[in-house]
Amino acid sequence: GLGLGCGICALSYYNAYGYILCSIPFFLISMKLLKKKRSEILKKFVLILGIALLAGGWFFVRNALLHDGDFLGRETIAEQAEMYAMEEFKPSSHETPDSLGLSFSETFLDSEEPYVDWVKNTVYSFIGVFSFLTVFMDLPVYVLYLAFLILGLVLFLALGIRKDWWKDRGKRLLLLTGFLCMVIPLAMSLYNSYYSDFQAQGRYLMPGLIPLMMMIAGGYDALPGTFSEKEGIKKAGPNRACVITCLLILFYMILFLISFFGYLGPNCLTIFIGS
């Protein structure tokens, strides 16, 4: 499963490569925690590597054979774009914050043309901006989504890590590698926006969604136990946990229905169905 997952990630977009990188220490340290022998670790590592190469390696071998060793295909893409793209889209005429001599703050934090509101637009589109990034939801919807996400993270940092995650070595390893899987796509998106193509789009951060939701769920999961400890009632935990879980699911379902039927459906799906 790990080998197949790494192979599929290799065939997908570059911002998913953080999972391949983090899978290596996660596997090796996990084997050490399980007290596996070196011979068994080596056999499994070779097996995982072989499956990953079978699933995704053929594509890079093909690129290298067809494009004079350019196994990633980036140089070939640039050459073809220079030959066939419209003039304003050719790499030679493409302006970037780096080529314009802009600083990091001028690129990502200022609100002046041509690079405006990178943080806001990235956060908004990570939650949901529809059509060709032209259909925004109303501000209260974004505020409710952000409040839900931020509260879960705060609870995770204040309660979840201390009560559960950091005590268990396996969960601690999952937490640290999951955090890296969130940071790597963000760093790559910042780098690409500054040096290659300015894109304030949350879709480039989507690989970080899985560990992010893992942490948020861990934060809300730690909440009912905290109430039970304060009340000193051991049997109250599961009942309170069930109530809180149901309320959270209901709240999130309402947000989803508002997003889907209030914005996505009327502005995108009707056009698609009509065409």
Side-chain angles (χ1 to χ4, degrees):
L2 182 59
L4 185 60
C6 288
I8 293 173
C9 277
L11 292 174
S12 67
Y13 208 54
Y14 67 85
N15 57 352
Y17 284 13
Y19 281 98
I20 302 175
L21 178 64
C22 292
S23 291
I24 299 172
F26 184 83
F27 167 76
L28 294 175
I29 298 174
S30 295
M31 292 294 99
K32 286 293 185 181
L33 292 178
L34 295 172
K35 298 181 180 179
K36 300 293 184 179
K37 296 180 180 179
R38 288 187 178 182
S39 58
E40 184 179 355
I41 296 174
L42 180 60
K43 289 178 182 178
K44 290 184 176 181
F45 184 83
V46 171
L47 178 62
I48 293 168
L49 180 62
I51 294 173
L53 290 175
L54 285 174
W58 60 270
F59 177 74
F60 301 98
V61 174
R62 172 187 176 277
N63 283 348
L65 293 174
L66 290 179
H67 306 302
D68 299 324
D70 183 21
F71 68 98
L72 291 178
R74 295 182 65 86
E75 294 179 5
T76 304
I77 290 174
E79 292 174 1
Q80 296 293 312
E82 193 66 38
M83 290 174 60
Y84 299 113
M86 296 171 63
E87 189 62 35
E88 60 267 27
F89 297 115
K90 292 181 183 292
S92 58
S93 59
H94 185 64
E95 292 184 345
T96 65
D98 175 53
S99 65
L100 294 175
L102 299 176
S103 66
F104 182 91
S105 61
E106 290 173 324
T107 303
F108 298 108
L109 302 180
D110 290 353
S111 297
E112 298 180 1
E113 294 290 349
Y115 305 110
V116 297
D117 296 330
W118 189 92
V119 174
K120 185 186 78 173
N121 289 329
T122 299
V123 171
Y124 278 16
S125 57
F126 184 79
I127 294 171
V129 178
F130 308 112
S131 189
F132 295 96
L133 290 179
T134 54
V135 179
F136 284 77
M137 295 186 289
D138 291 327
L139 181 60
V141 180
Y142 290 111
V143 171
L144 289 173
Y145 265 113
L146 284 173
F148 182 86
L149 301 178
I150 292 172
L151 178 58
L153 279 178
V154 170
L155 290 172
F156 179 75
L157 294 173
L159 303 175
I161 292 180
R162 177 174 56 85
K163 290 181 174 292
D164 183 21
W165 283 80
W166 205 255
K167 294 179 180 179
D168 184 280
R169 291 188 297 176
K171 285 189 175 182
R172 188 191 312 162
L173 174 62
L174 183 62
L175 170 63
L176 293 175
T177 51
F179 178 75
L180 285 175
C181 289
M182 292 169 56
V183 172
I184 290 173
L186 175 61
M188 296 180 77
S189 180
L190 289 168
Y191 181 89
N192 186 65
S193 289
Y194 186 78
Y195 288 103
S196 179
D197 185 22
F198 186 86
Q199 296 285 349
Q201 298 184 27
R203 64 192 178 100
Y204 295 117
L205 307 183
M206 279 297 153
L209 183 64
I210 296 172
L212 174 65
M213 299 310 293
M214 177 187 72
M215 295 176 188
I216 291 171
Y220 284 116
D221 183 56
L223 188 60
T226 303
F227 285 134
S228 300
E229 289 176 6
K230 289 182 179 180
E231 294 171 359
I233 305 173
K234 293 183 179 179
K235 293 184 179 180
N239 295 330
R240 192 176 292 272
C242 182
V243 171
I244 292 177
T245 301
C246 290
L247 289 174
L248 290 171
I249 293 174
L250 178 62
F251 175 76
Y252 208 78
M253 285 180 63
I254 292 172
L255 274 181
F256 172 78
L257 291 173
I258 291 173
S259 305
F260 190 90
F261 291 105
Y263 302 92
L264 175 62
N267 292 285
C268 302
L269 296 183
T270 52
I271 297 174
F272 175 76
I273 294 172
S275 61

